[in-house]
């Protein structure tokens, strides 16, 4: 039944609205501004600030617009004398206890209370009593507090309850004695908790690392895209004199709504770490020397020309999955041009047996926003909140709205939403556990046992948890089976995926992936794969994958944007391979002791905030951004360095002037071909037990890449400390 439409008047103008819709939503839509503090479009209605009082005809007193549903014939006045007087009275009460510390408040210049006080406040207070003082709370390393400024809007409290799913903050006391805190003096540790900084309409909750470092009106807001996970959250980088001072969310309803993860917000500190590489360096007779760019590029050119070998197999090129599309496309072109196919961005993968059946790019299978509309989701091998917090948030919303959400996981991770099924499977037996779910689905659905027969799965070992997991997908109109990063890193990944594909065939669910890095989709589409070129084109000669390049060491390596000791599945193996190599050329933003040991050429490249580029997120959205901050020292944007290197190697058609030119070249190469993201394989799993430990597969949230690992505030959080203590 369609929603009933009613007609109301706002300041004498007739407008249509949906019956039951809150009045403030209608006034916002019609640009009839109503002041507010506690109201937020993404949170429930609290109606406790009373700043949004408006006059409604025949009402005995002004009514809060945020909590007043519209009705047929309602006449509303937002700027009448009665409304304005009510709003001024509310403002006067709010300012009774508010400190007069705007000159030192980080919220100054972007404070909602400050703005509204200019329009609705009195010039001189009528109150001479002593103001209330509230002790500040220690909420951890990310959020600073000045609780005397708090006006009890409760946005932060509702955010924890409704968005994060965990009540980290709450209220104690009443009236003048009311305080907001954590009850037991603990920190706020949810991976989205930094959003309470943006929600706070006053200066009670602020960005702790940023505190006292700049003023809002001094900075420029530059659009950025998150480089830390495959969701591609939209950001604003606030820049002062070329230096990134803080990061805030940029609204995008189709991806991150108004939220960002804490690692997106606070990782910028890593850009200015003490170990930034700011000048090209060359190892000469065991000693490191700073050299000119021309000298460093010439050395890199000579290495690539001489070390590739006649068959192209002497060289290995390993690329960070968070590199931009432009960097990846140029790396692919350079590597193929010099005669090698040994190039890969799948650094933490262990199982490549079924790579020929990979989709053109690892896709979610649907828009991120559509996750909320699912009625069944089965997640296999994923610490979801830690891997992709924004996707976890969307799936939580689906669960709250009634969707069945289940997991097949090697450990009991917390999700803070209703869970319809949880199969806790030992990581060594992940494929067997999912096979049991498949058999249970066949048993419950009937008539499709051929799938189990084809896969060679014995119909045995089914318990109620397997049946509950199967029920999550069976009979659903919109269902998704999602393979997380633990699955993608698993030594029996091909087995798990084949079983997952069969389960999708039985239940009618879609198969989706949550790949590593910000640009795994871009890596696949750019051709940074040993067996495929751009757009999934089959390579004439199949090169070595990331694991093979290390298991069978190459004579020379080119490393791009990564730290081998942290970013690979086997740190010991990669260190041994690099140490044994004749030459290692590293494009890096950082210099580490490990790099100094095995590298021969160091080329300093810009971080994500210092370069223009493009990321392609897990739903396939191309998101381009410009450089926000000034590149440190003598470092250079990666795409520029690669373009010059390409020219030195006589790479044809390499006169790119902007990143957009490179994107256009890739788009032209992709053409209008159908970029199918479905799994087409017929791989027969063996169901062998994997020799692996969960600690080797579950990468800590704040150790995912080089920038995050150097975010000092992030490394002081409870999540970081727990991961380091294991």
């Amino acid at each position: 039944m369609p929603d009933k439409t009613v007609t109301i008047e706002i300041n004498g103008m007739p407008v249509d609205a949906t019956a039951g819709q809150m009045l403030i939503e209608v006034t916002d839509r019609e640009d009839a501004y109503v002041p507010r503090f506690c109201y937020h479009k993404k949170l429930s209605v609290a109606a406790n600030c009373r700043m949004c009082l408006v006059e409604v005809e025949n009402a005995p007193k002004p009514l809060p617009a945020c909590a007043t549903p519209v009705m047929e014939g309602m006449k509303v006045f937002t700027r009448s004398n009665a409304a304005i007087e009510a709003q001024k009275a509310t403002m006067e009460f709010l300012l009774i206890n508010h400190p007069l510390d705007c000159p030192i408040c980080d919220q100054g210049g972007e404070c909602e209370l400050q703005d509204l006080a200019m329009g609705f406040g009195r010039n001189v207070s009528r109150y001479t009593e002593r103001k209330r003082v509230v002790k500040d709370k220690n909420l951890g390393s990310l959020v600073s507090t000045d609780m005397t400024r708090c006006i009890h809007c409760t946005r932060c409290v509702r955010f924890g309850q409704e968005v994060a799913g965990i009540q980290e903050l709450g209220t104690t006391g009443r009236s003048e004695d009311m305080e907001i805190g954590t009850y037991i003096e603990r920190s706020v540790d949810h991976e989205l908790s930094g959003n309470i900084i943006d929600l706070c309409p006053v200066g009670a909750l602020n960005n702790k690392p940023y505190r006292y470092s700049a003023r809002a009106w001094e900075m420029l807001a530059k659009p950025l895209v998150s480089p830390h996970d495959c969701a591609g959250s939209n950001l604003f980088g606030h820049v002062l004199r070329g230096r990134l001072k803080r990061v805030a969310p940029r609204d995008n309803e189709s991806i991150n709504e108004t939220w960002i993860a804490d690692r997106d917000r606070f990782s910028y500190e890593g850009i200015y770490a003490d170990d930034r590489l700011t000048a090209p360096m060359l190892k000469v007779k065991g000693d490191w020397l700073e050299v000119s760019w021309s000298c460093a590029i010439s050395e890199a050119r000579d290495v690539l020309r001489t070390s590739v070998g006649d068959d192209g197999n002497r060289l290995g090129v390993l690329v960070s999955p968070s590199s931009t599309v432009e960097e990846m496309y140029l790396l692919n072109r350079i590597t193929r041009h010099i005669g090698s196919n040994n190039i890969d961005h799948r650094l933490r993968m262990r199982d490549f047996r079924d790579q020929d059946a990979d989709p053109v790019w690892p896709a979610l299978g649907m828009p991120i926003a559509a996750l909320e509309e699912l009625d069944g989701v089965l997640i296999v091998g994923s610490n979801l909140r830690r891997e992709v917090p924004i996707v976890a948030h969307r799936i939580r919303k689906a669960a709250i709205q009634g969707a069945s959400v289940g997991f097949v996981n090697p450990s009991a991770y917390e999700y803070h939403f209703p869970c319809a099924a949880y199969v806790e499977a030992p990581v060594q037996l992940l494929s067997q556990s999912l096979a049991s779910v498949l058999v249970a689905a066949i048993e419950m659905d009937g008539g499709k046992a051929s799938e189990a027969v084809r896969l060679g799965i014995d119909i045995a070992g089914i318990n109620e948890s397997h049946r509950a997991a199967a029920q999550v997908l069976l009979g659903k109109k919109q269902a998704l089976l999602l393979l997380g990063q633990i699955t993608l890193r698993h030594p029996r990944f091909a087995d798990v995926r084949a079983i997952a594909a069969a389960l999708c065939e039985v239940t009618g669910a879609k198969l989706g992936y949550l790949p590593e890095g910000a640009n795994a989709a871009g890596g696949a589409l750019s051709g940074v794969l040993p067996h495929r070129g751009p757009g999934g084109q089959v390579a004439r000669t199949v090169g070595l994958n990331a694991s093979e390049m290390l298991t069978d060491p190459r004579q020379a390596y080119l490393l791009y944007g990564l730290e081998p000791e942290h970013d690979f599945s086997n740190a010991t193996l990669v260190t041994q391979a690099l140490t044994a190599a004749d030459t290692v050329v590293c494009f890096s933003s950082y210099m580490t002791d490990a790099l100094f040991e095995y590298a021969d050429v160091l080329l300093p490249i810009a971080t994500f905030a210092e370069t223009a580029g493009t990321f392609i997120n897990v739903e396939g959205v191309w998101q381009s951004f410009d450089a926000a901050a000034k590149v440190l020292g003598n470092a250079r944007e990666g795409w520029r360095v690669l373009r010059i290197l390409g020219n030195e190697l006589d790479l044809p058609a390499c006169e790119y002037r902007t990143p957009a030119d490179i994107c256009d070249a890739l788009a032209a190469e992709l053409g209008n071909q159908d970029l199918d993201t479905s799994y087409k394989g017929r791989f027969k799993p063996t169901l062998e037990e994997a020799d692996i430990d969960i600690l080797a597969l579950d990468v800590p949230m704040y150790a995912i890449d080089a920038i995050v690992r150097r975010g000092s505030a992030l490394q002081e959080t409870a999540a970081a400390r727990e991961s380091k203590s294991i």
Side-chain angles (χ1 to χ4, degrees), residues 184-469:
I184 53 174
E185 300 296 323
R186 56 167 293 171
S187 57
V188 291
D189 299 318
H190 192 276
E191 62 279 359
L192 298 177
S193 287
N195 289 288
I196 62 177
I197 296 168
D198 309 309
L199 287 172
C200 184
V202 296
L205 303 173
N206 287 296
N207 185 320
K208 195 174 231 179
Y210 159 80
R211 196 174 194 194
Y212 299 145
S213 64
R215 294 303 228 166
W217 57 84
E218 299 177 308
M219 298 185 291
L220 299 174
K222 301 292 187 68
L224 292 171
V225 178
S226 167
H228 305 307
D229 61 50
C230 59
S233 295
N234 287 205
L235 318 172
F236 274 122
H238 294 165
V239 180
L240 176 63
R241 292 187 286 276
R243 189 178 180 91
L244 186 62
K245 303 298 292 187
R246 67 177 178 184
V247 172
R250 177 161 54 98
D251 288 7
N252 187 327
E253 287 295 323
S254 63
I255 298 178
N256 56 294
E257 301 180 278
T258 62
W259 320 119
I260 58 173
D262 286 356
R263 69 183 174 200
D264 296 333
R265 184 185 300 272
F266 298 105
S267 62
Y268 71 91
E269 288 186 293
I271 296 173
Y272 304 106
D274 293 337
D275 61 349
R276 273 295 301 268
L277 180 64
T278 57
M281 301 187 74
L282 189 65
K283 185 185 286 185
V284 180
K285 296 181 180 180
D287 296 324
W288 282 99
L289 304 175
E290 288 192 9
V291 297
S292 67
W293 268 106
S294 60
C295 177
I297 289 178
S298 296
E299 186 69 21
R301 176 202 62 202
D302 294 342
V303 168
L304 295 176
R305 276 179 173 170
T306 58
S307 64
V308 66
D310 295 337
D311 58 356
N313 257 342
R314 293 183 61 194
L315 175 68
V317 180
L318 297 161
V319 184
S320 165
S322 290
S323 306
T324 66
V325 166
E326 294 81 359
E327 294 164 336
M328 287 184 165
Y329 183 58
L330 285 173
L331 282 163
N332 166 66
R333 290 199 63 205
I334 289 171
T335 304
R336 311 287 185 186
H337 174 69
I338 61 177
S340 178
N341 289 298
N342 300 338
I343 182 170
D344 209 344
H345 69 277
R346 302 165 298 173
L347 307 182
R348 292 194 175 104
M349 277 192 67
R350 292 171 168 82
D351 188 2
F352 300 88
R353 290 173 294 160
D354 196 27
Q355 68 175 7
D356 290 339
D358 287 348
V360 176
W361 50 275
L364 184 62
M366 62 183 61
I368 291 174
L371 291 170
E372 299 178 19
E373 302 168 6
L374 294 171
D375 50 6
V377 188
L378 184 64
I379 301 159
V380 180
S382 176
N383 191 348
L384 188 61
R385 285 175 47 210
R386 305 299 174 92
E387 290 175 5
V388 194
I390 292 299
V391 169
H393 162 64
R394 294 281 192 176
I395 291 177
R396 180 178 185 276
K397 291 175 74 174
I400 291 173
Q401 294 168 16
S404 296
V405 181
F407 298 89
V408 180
N409 265 343
S411 186
Y413 301 119
E414 288 185 330
Y415 290 101
H416 305 307
F417 56 73
C419 182
Y422 207 109
V423 179
E424 189 172 344
V427 68
Q428 299 85 358
L429 304 175
L430 185 61
S431 58
Q432 293 92 323
S433 298
L434 189 60
S436 295
V437 177
L438 170 61
V439 173
I442 294 169
E443 180 188 85
M444 297 165 70
D445 192 53
K448 297 180 180 177
S450 61
E451 284 301 321
V453 173
R454 177 179 69 79
L455 295 170
I457 298 172
D458 185 23
I459 303 178
I462 306 173
N463 57 38
E464 288 306 312
S465 67
H466 300 130
R467 292 187 177 91

Side-chain angles (χ1 to χ4, degrees), residues 91 342 363 548 592:
M91 176 58 67
N342 300 338
E548 292 170 333
T592 64

